[in-house]
Amino acid sequence: MATSERGTAPADGAGGAEQDAGVPLPADCLGPGGPTCTGRGRAGVPLRATLALGVLTVVVGSTALALGSPSRDPLLAAGDTATGSYLATRADGDQAAAAVLAGPYQERPGPPVTARYGGGAAAPLPASRPLQAAPAAPAPAVGALFSPADDGEPFHHCTASVVHAPAGDLVVTAAHCVHDGGFRTRLVFAPGLHDGFAPYGLWVPTQIQVDPRWISDRDPDHDVAFLRVRRAGQAGGRIEDVTGAERIRFDAPAGRPAQLTGYPEEQDTPVSCRHTADAQSPTQLRFDCPGFPNGTSGGPMLTDLDPATGTGSLIGVIGGLEGGGDDLVSYSSRFGKDVAALYRRAIARPGPGAAQPGSRAAASGVRPRAAPRS
């Protein structure tokens, strides 16, 4: 498969995104879901086609159910659709973490991490040989995202990473990992997960932010979400002090060497690949490397890796076009002015328009599930 045309966006970090600010960007931003929906389609089959077949099956079966509708699923909340905001309840988060620990997972302290963020001294990023995602050592700032239900069998459905923010409590993933017909009310992030152990604890959201255009029509150009998190069982905590963080970068030029990482849903260790982040379109990046299956959605696309910390500059997350891609190629929404505005909103204090907790609607047996890869 030929690689796509490389873009010519300016190399400057924020690229003017700070001009529509309600909250100014910190200086560091300027630097050089069967299983839950994961957004990854079957081999060679775009996710849209898979979802369309699923919807057709429901209609033909005359069930007339709105899959994933927050009015029918107890594990989804409507949130504030106008702003794309949701304030998570403490009970939901702690129950979700307890469900993870009731399964085959446990917390076990890992080696301490210096509280630094990436994007500084860069190491060379030679392309992977062979060009195929391969098992990789866990990185403290990258982890698995769980969405445990009531069936007592938690599994991780997506990937997320810690991104630098003033409050030190921010995680980024794909929007489809946290909003699928409604905001997922039970989410747990396990940074550095490996072999059934969560070495840096379990973290749950206090606030979720997505672009309203994702809620209204699942616009693939806005498949990005930011979560402010706290340590499960505690009122707060700075995850960045525990794991370190990636530095977010906006309007990064396409065609640069990058590293893509994600947690397959059936593995407790990540896979990774190094190649170039090319321009699929003005609003999408593509990464041609096979081997990123279900569960890797939301995984970080990094440039400028710091050899001292293993962190780098975050320029995208697996998602966007075709729900993130197929077995051969991965996509990401490009981090431009809209993602910069979403980031600013995420790091600001919750405003009066933020969704209030406890807004979940009545129960039903429907839970969002992923299109299985076969």
Side-chain angles (χ1 to χ4, degrees):
M1 179 179 295
T3 56
S4 61
E5 178 183 359
R6 297 185 179 184
T8 56
D12 183 62
E18 73 278 8
Q19 295 178 1
D20 57 354
V23 177
L25 287 172
D28 346 286
C29 300
L30 308 181
T36 318
C37 181
T38 66
R40 308 291 303 190
R42 298 185 211 162
V45 181
L47 177 68
R48 289 177 185 160
T50 308
L51 291 179
L53 290 173
V55 171
L56 179 61
T57 301
V58 172
V59 172
V60 171
S62 303
T63 62
L65 291 174
L67 291 180
S69 168
S71 65
R72 295 178 179 272
D73 195 318
L75 303 184
L76 294 177
D80 188 326
T81 58
T83 65
S85 305
Y86 177 65
L87 297 183
T89 70
R90 183 166 181 172
D92 278 338
D94 290 344
Q95 288 173 6
V100 172
L101 294 176
Y105 298 97
Q106 57 182 289
E107 294 184 82
R108 175 183 292 180
V113 174
T114 303
R116 295 175 54 192
Y117 50 91
L125 282 177
S128 297
R129 292 290 182 267
L131 191 60
Q132 170 82 32
V142 182
L145 189 65
F146 292 77
S147 183
D150 294 323
D151 54 14
E153 188 177 350
F155 64 94
H156 45 85
H157 70 290
C158 276
T159 304
S161 57
V162 184
V163 63
H164 180 58
D169 63 352
L170 200 64
V171 169
V172 63
T173 188
H176 70 256
C177 292
V178 302
H179 189 284
D180 185 12
F183 286 96
R184 297 181 188 275
T185 61
R186 295 186 184 178
L187 290 168
V188 182
F189 176 54
L193 183 73
H194 68 90
D195 306 310
F197 298 111
Y200 303 105
L202 299 180
W203 300 77
V204 296
T206 59
Q207 180 186 145
I208 304 173
Q209 301 283 353
V210 300
D211 193 291
R213 285 165 287 190
W214 173 260
I215 295 177
S216 62
D217 60 6
R218 294 177 67 88
D219 187 331
D221 292 342
H222 302 286
D223 195 2
V224 181
F226 292 101
L227 292 69
R228 295 184 71 164
V229 298
R230 63 175 174 85
R231 189 75 176 254
Q234 301 179 15
R238 288 175 51 95
I239 189 170
E240 188 174 322
D241 292 344
V242 179
T243 64
E246 318 295 354
R247 178 192 292 188
I248 195 166
R249 183 175 182 185
F250 304 108
D251 289 330
R256 299 191 65 204
Q259 176 175 285
L260 195 62
T261 302
Y263 276 79
E265 64 183 10
E266 295 181 352
Q267 296 179 201
D268 285 346
T269 53
V271 295
S272 183
C273 183
R274 294 180 173 182
H275 196 33
T276 54
D278 293 324
Q280 171 69 17
S281 73
T283 56
Q284 295 281 323
L285 291 174
R286 66 179 290 144
F287 191 92
D288 288 279
C289 181
F292 288 93
N294 283 350
T296 57
S297 281
M301 186 181 294
L302 301 172
T303 63
D304 303 324
L305 285 178
D306 185 334
T309 65
T311 55
S313 294
L314 181 76
I315 63 169
V317 296
I318 299 178
L321 189 64
E322 297 181 358
D326 54 30
D327 278 351
L328 299 178
V329 61
S330 298
Y331 299 102
S332 170
S333 306
R334 295 192 76 165
F335 282 16
K337 66 178 182 179
D338 291 333
V339 176
L342 184 64
Y343 172 84
R344 285 194 298 273
R345 181 153 58 86
I347 64 176
R349 292 184 179 275
Q356 295 303 307
S359 61
R360 291 171 301 173
S364 104
V366 180
R367 180 183 182 225
R369 312 294 279 185
R373 190 183 295 271
S374 60

